[in-house]
Amino acid sequence: MRNLAVIMMKDLRQRSRDRSILVLGFLLPLALMWVFSLLFAEIDDSAPPAVTIGVANLEQGTAGGACEVTGGTCLGDALEEVVLPLVQARIEAEGGSAEVVVYDAATTLRRDVADGELDAGIVVPVGTTAALVSGEAQIEVVTVPERIEASAITSAIAEQFARQVKGQAAARVAATSLGLDATTTAELSAALGQAEGRVVVDASSTGGDDGGFASYLAGGMIVFFLFFTVGFGVLGYIGESEGGTMPRLLASPVRTWQVLGAKVVGSLLIGTVATAVLMATAVPLVGAQWGNPFVVAVLVLAVVVAATSLVAVVATVARTVEQANVAQSTIAILLGLLGGSFFPIEGGPEWIGSLSRLTPHGTFLDALQQTAAGAGLAQIRPNLVLLLGFAVTMVAIATVAMRLQGDE
Amino acid sequence: MTLPVRAVVGVTFRRLFRDPGTWFFVFVFPFLMILLIGSQFGGEPASPRMAVAASDPLAEQLADRLGEIDGIEVVSVPAGRVEEAVRSGDVAAGLVIPAGYGDALRSGQMAVSLEFITRPDGSGVLPQMLVFPTLAEENQRIVIGDFLRSVERLDLGAALARADAALGLAPTLEVARTTPGEGAASPFSGLGRFDLGAMQQLLLFVFLTALASAIGVVESREMHVTERMLASPVTPAGVLVGMGLARFAVAVFQGLLIMGGTWLMFGVGWGNPIASLAILAVFAAVATGAAMLLGALGRTEHQVTAASVGVGLIAAALGGSMLPLDLMPDQMQTVAHITPHAWAYEAYAAVIRDGEGVVAVLPQLGVLATMAIVLLLIGGRVLRKHLV
């Protein structure tokens, strides 16, 4: 036991002199996490919007008669004078800011959207209300794809407006066919104006309340880096073979298994510490919420074991440090790609998704989603079994490989 | 190319391809990329699937109406299995209409809650955009239906049928989305994550694997191969050009494979071929320059591995290859332009999204070419110091 500890400490000291562990295991992932925090700073769904919307109501001044079909109020006027102020008030009540700019001409509005003076705009052409009857009424939402928030808000305003127009029209149709009097019709119209509260949509994410794309990316990168970090312990095995220290080690009263064992334990240690630090840092940096700490800790241990076992195979099979490096990098990138560390694997044929979830990365990320949503050990048991099964398989392969190589 | 430089290129190729890793990354890896990128970001995105759990007639009516929406495929799933279906990626989103939906509506209950479940990776944005208008219309149907019920003493089912008829007869106000100067915009042109995903990953991996080839530069210094090359009638500049050209060719070849394969097998669109090739070539040149500089600066292979993975990923993240450039805060979009990825992203966005040609992206190509030249010059200077 003492031999194990001595070799492990020697290893760790040696590796830390190379500084690669520090860099690859901690600094670079941390830097990446910090970049994420900057990138995702504004993608906070709860942050109130700030937009400048233009409206070109070309129906302004149209004689009331032309707008009889909507009860005398032209659509453009309704949008400019009623709907937009309401939206503005609502956004401001949430702490955001919404500026509405009125335009006389559509061309000016479009130019200002293109120039960036406006975030987006709505154009109500002349005769829109009258065209309702012939089924050719159309309003135009002018957006620029890059201004995603403003585009979404403005489109939503226009679409909700269109829905209300349709609802009101339907009410009038129903009222006419039933021969309702004006008062009752007016009541129906009023009720429709508030028709947002009967059925509500409660949106939730499988990743828990604060699971977001940032957490997903962070998790993907953390597990990706793990498969590099654990290599530094085990690859030393080969380094020692090449550097000629191995024969000297083995000549000393140290058993082979103790040498290998020290490497393995070293890897486990480095991998666990690195992952734990990174996951903890991700919480304040990108707002990641991983779930119950105890459950997550067990999950992290399982994936570190899986990662270490894989690198053990590489260490056993590879002949030179260079080979091992390349093989390890290759496998790390391959598994990371397949497992969804870079982008989620969900579309396409089913077998790709299944294959993805069989990889350590894929099953780890899947489990993280569940724990973020509150899952306990019982729910992620299949994932844990998969990770440990992977480790056992790798160790078996490594053992067979060592036997085949004989005692060198 | 002069004879000695050609010889250097030849030597570099031979050394590169003696390493099994190179074989893998140049010939096998791109196919994996093609498979994954193609299936995930393939040209005609299959309509997203949505799981809907409905357990009474009125709920089923809503589910049917959702099923009629163009562009989304609705599958019926029991309420208890919806979340798992979403999480596993089987469906892009899930809607749970609560049991007793009909009764709740009949009793005039307010705020009946429908649960809409998506994954945190953004795949639920499109289904949400497609489905929410219909869910909003449900409110209208119910209000009109309620009204008709009270006026005509009908039951809810019949009243809703009348409401549907009225809504069917009511004139529709269309909403057209346009982009200034370009006419109609695709309704979902703001979903950067999907329509440019293939390009983002291409940039990430071409750069990453090009940087990884920097290991060879360190190696050849350690093994004194470069010294021996210099002993022959070739200038230090010639050695650098030779080493760089070989790596450049490999990077371009990889990129071409991925572009061609995803286009051929999965219908991924890359826009005007000449333009997209030009962008790839210049981007690969920057990647090669970065690799040469990294190889010149690095002292051990471990260092270079660490640096290439780290720098490669950080540059990719900063440059819009993970979170699309459009979705970044304005300040970060500006910062992003220190990376070649951001410039290539802009160029590709113009070519793929807007159908532009080479001329339109000359500015971006120019910047990328400048980056490549600067990197190669600096790398060359540093490497020469080591060699001479």
Side-chain angles (χ1 to χ4, degrees):
Chain A
M1 233 18 201
R2 196 175 156 271
N3 291 335
L4 211 107
V6 167
I7 301 171
M8 195 174 74
M9 290 313 295
K10 183 240 0 150
D11 253 352
L12 288 177
R13 245 177 288 140
Q14 218 173 14
R15 286 297 143 204
S16 68
R17 247 177 264 147
D18 191 6
R19 289 224 204 107
S20 300
I21 292 185
L22 216 62
V23 169
L24 193 56
F26 288 95
L27 292 181
L28 284 172
L30 271 178
L32 190 58
M33 212 72 62
W34 177 68
V35 170
F36 283 167
S37 73
L38 294 175
L39 296 182
F40 287 93
E42 270 175 26
I43 306 226
D44 181 3
D45 286 332
S46 60
V51 288
T52 308
I53 302 177
V55 59
N57 172 18
L58 302 176
E59 291 204 300
Q60 188 161 56
T62 312
C67 296
E68 214 181 86
V69 65
T70 51
T73 312
C74 294
L75 289 179
D77 294 334
L79 181 68
E80 183 189 333
E81 289 157 28
V82 178
V83 174
L84 283 176
L86 274 177
V87 170
Q88 194 175 13
R90 195 165 38 155
I91 292 181
E92 276 161 18
E94 284 169 18
S97 84
E99 199 191 320
V100 177
V101 182
V102 176
Y103 283 77
D104 284 333
T107 39
T108 334
L109 181 147
R110 289 194 198 106
R111 185 203 62 202
D112 280 357
V113 172
D115 288 342
E117 293 278 322
L118 285 180
D119 290 325
I122 304 179
V123 176
V124 182
V126 166
T128 304
T129 314
L132 264 183
V133 177
S134 61
E136 298 190 347
Q138 190 181 74
I139 60 176
E140 184 190 338
V141 174
V142 184
T143 59
V144 178
E146 290 78 54
R147 264 163 264 138
I148 294 182
E149 187 183 43
S151 300
I153 291 176
T154 314
S155 299
I157 294 173
E159 275 151 27
Q160 192 179 5
F161 181 63
R163 242 189 331 268
Q164 280 180 342
V165 166
K166 179 153 185 175
Q168 298 289 346
R172 276 190 296 275
V173 166
T176 315
S177 74
L178 293 173
L180 297 178
D181 63 36
T183 329
T184 327
T185 314
E187 273 173 27
L188 177 55
S189 291
L192 270 174
Q194 285 156 19
E196 301 293 314
R198 289 307 300 281
V199 170
V200 294
V201 179
D202 187 14
S204 69
S205 157
T206 55
D209 281 335
D210 286 300
F213 192 47
S215 303
Y216 178 87
L217 269 186
M221 287 295 108
I222 290 176
V223 69
F224 175 75
F225 275 102
L226 171 66
F227 277 69
F228 279 94
T229 318
V230 288
F232 287 112
V234 188
L235 293 181
Y237 190 56
I238 311 162
E240 257 147 19
S241 298
E242 284 190 351
T245 46
M246 186 64 83
R248 270 176 274 167
L249 258 180
L250 292 176
S252 68
V254 164
R255 312 272 300 274
T256 316
W257 74 265
Q258 286 175 327
V259 175
L260 194 54
K263 313 288 174 189
V264 169
V265 174
S267 281
L268 289 175
L269 218 65
I270 296 173
T272 311
V273 171
T275 307
V277 167
L278 288 173
M279 286 182 78
T281 321
V283 173
L285 275 183
V286 296
Q289 289 201 345
W290 307 116
N292 180 311
F294 173 68
V295 177
V296 174
V298 173
L299 178 63
V300 167
L301 278 174
V303 77
V304 172
V305 167
T308 309
S309 71
L310 178 62
V311 183
V313 170
V314 170
T316 323
V317 172
R319 300 261 150 221
T320 66
V321 175
E322 184 202 332
Q323 256 186 23
N325 256 322
V326 170
Q328 179 215 335
S329 314
T330 308
I331 296 176
I333 292 181
L334 253 179
L335 287 179
L337 196 58
L338 196 53
S341 271
F342 295 93
F343 50 92
I345 308 292
E346 67 221 1
E350 279 232 26
W351 62 268
I352 293 187
S354 310
L355 201 62
S356 166
R357 277 190 297 284
L358 281 178
T359 63
H361 298 65
T363 208
F364 175 74
L365 291 174
D366 178 70
L368 264 189
Q369 253 199 81
Q370 296 182 64
T371 55
L377 277 180
Q379 283 91 346
I380 62 167
R381 201 167 25 165
N383 306 71
L384 294 174
V385 166
L386 202 67
L387 286 170
L388 292 176
F390 182 89
V392 167
T393 315
M394 289 300 122
V395 169
I397 297 179
T399 318
V400 168
M402 266 202 296
R403 292 262 171 78
L404 285 178
Q405 287 170 1
D407 289 3
E408 293 187 13
Chain B
M1 217 186 320
T2 63
L3 190 54
V5 176
R6 255 215 309 255
V8 174
V9 173
V11 167
T12 314
F13 266 124
R14 262 196 301 277
R15 293 195 63 248
L16 277 175
F17 282 96
R18 213 172 325 148
D19 176 6
T22 312
W23 281 95
F24 177 80
F25 271 108
V26 174
F27 293 105
V28 178
F29 183 72
F31 283 101
L32 182 67
M33 291 293 294
I34 292 171
L35 179 64
L36 287 176
I37 291 182
S39 64
Q40 300 308 308
F41 302 108
E44 267 314 311
S47 299
R49 285 155 52 94
M50 183 171 74
V52 177
S55 52
D56 69 55
L58 278 181
E60 269 158 37
Q61 258 183 32
L62 178 56
D64 288 339
R65 290 176 64 234
L66 290 172
E68 280 160 27
I69 300 175
D70 251 341
I72 193 160
E73 188 194 327
V74 165
V75 289
S76 175
V77 172
R81 306 278 296 278
V82 172
E83 199 201 324
E84 193 195 312
V86 177
R87 194 168 32 80
S88 70
D90 202 20
V91 293
L95 183 72
V96 179
I97 309 174
Y101 180 65
D103 292 331
L105 292 181
R106 265 179 213 104
S107 67
Q109 182 183 330
M110 291 292 285
V112 177
S113 185
L114 307 177
E115 206 187 333
F116 186 75
I117 306 173
T118 53
R119 281 194 300 278
D121 56 24
S123 53
V125 173
L126 182 57
Q128 187 165 341
M129 285 181 69
L130 288 170
V131 155
F132 273 31
T134 305
L135 294 178
E137 274 163 27
E138 180 79 350
N139 269 300
Q140 289 183 328
R141 292 175 79 220
I142 295 168
V143 169
I144 298 179
D146 266 350
F147 209 85
L148 292 174
R149 250 205 312 169
S150 62
V151 164
E152 292 280 288
R153 311 250 179 281
L154 298 169
D155 72 49
L156 188 55
L160 282 178
R162 294 278 280 272
D164 285 338
L167 279 166
L169 286 174
T172 308
L173 177 64
E174 296 294 339
V175 177
R177 281 185 57 168
T178 64
T179 305
E182 287 157 37
S186 122
F188 309 114
S189 61
L191 294 180
R193 197 179 104 73
F194 292 99
D195 64 349
L196 296 175
M199 170 272 279
Q200 288 172 284
Q201 299 305 322
L202 175 80
L203 295 177
L204 190 158
F205 280 97
V206 164
F207 196 80
L208 195 63
T209 52
L211 277 196
S213 76
I215 293 182
V217 177
V218 177
E219 246 200 330
S220 87
R221 269 168 40 215
E222 284 182 348
M223 289 169 49
H224 306 291
V225 170
T226 21
E227 279 175 17
R228 273 174 275 172
M229 277 199 258
L230 280 172
S232 69
V234 72
T235 61
V239 170
L240 294 171
V241 168
M243 288 170 78
L245 269 177
R247 288 180 169 75
F248 173 72
V250 168
V252 171
F253 179 73
Q254 259 187 329
L256 275 179
L257 259 186
I258 296 176
M259 285 170 74
T262 51
W263 173 71
L264 208 62
M265 297 202 280
F266 294 95
V268 174
W270 295 95
N272 177 310
I274 299 181
S276 51
L277 275 173
I279 302 171
L280 171 68
V282 192
F283 182 76
V286 180
T288 306
M292 300 294 284
L293 180 57
L294 191 60
L297 291 173
R299 281 194 306 270
T300 71
E301 281 157 21
H302 260 146
Q303 271 183 0
V304 172
T305 308
S308 57
V309 170
V311 170
L313 288 178
I314 291 177
L318 260 181
S321 274
M322 296 195 189
L323 180 69
L325 202 59
D326 311 326
L327 289 182
M328 291 199 234
D330 290 331
Q331 265 180 325
M332 288 310 293
Q333 286 194 32
T334 317
V335 171
H337 284 77
I338 58 172
T339 67
H341 300 67
W343 294 96
Y345 181 108
E346 272 182 12
Y348 270 124
V351 169
I352 297 176
R353 249 189 210 153
D354 307 328
E356 299 282 6
V358 174
V359 176
V361 297
L362 277 177
Q364 285 84 3
L365 292 179
V367 172
L368 286 169
T370 314
M371 281 183 175
I373 295 173
V374 168
L375 283 170
L376 285 164
L377 282 177
I378 301 180
R381 191 147 293 177
V382 177
L383 204 55
R384 227 176 316 178
K385 263 197 283 194
H386 287 295
L387 302 180
V388 184

